[in-house]
Amino acid sequence: MNWPINDVDDLPQQDNGDDCGVFVMKYMEAVMSSKTVAWKETIDWCKEMPKFRAQITANIFRAFSNLIKLSNE
């Protein structure tokens, strides 16, 4: 398949080999909510990574907990 490639200016860059998944998830979160984000001006991404990881983890546990509750009903 020929997928279109769209270049987007001013996206943050990770500064290590560990945070690519978090960057993708936070980017998709913004895309899905239709927010226009000035990425580099809004957040110090590298400083906020621990908070982002904790939020993602909490969301996964919350979703899993909800699934367990639904399966027990």
Side-chain angles (χ1 to χ4, degrees), residues 1-70:
M1 295 185 85
N2 291 324
W3 295 93
I5 298 173
N6 298 324
D7 289 332
V8 179
D9 294 327
D10 294 325
L11 287 178
Q13 298 285 318
Q14 70 189 71
D15 64 353
N16 60 39
D18 301 326
D19 294 325
C20 54
V22 177
F23 271 82
V24 170
M25 285 190 265
K26 293 303 284 183
Y27 180 73
M28 292 309 300
E29 182 180 88
V31 168
M32 297 293 288
S33 67
S34 300
K35 291 180 184 174
T36 301
V37 178
W39 293 98
K40 289 185 178 180
E41 298 168 13
T42 307
I43 299 169
D44 180 348
W45 281 76
C46 297
K47 179 181 167 193
E48 297 295 326
M49 271 303 136
K51 181 179 87 173
F52 294 152
R53 284 191 209 103
Q55 289 172 338
I56 291 166
T57 301
N59 288 338
I60 290 169
F61 279 114
R62 192 174 306 114
F64 185 70
S65 176
N66 289 337
L67 285 173
I68 291 173
K69 287 177 188 175
L70 287 173

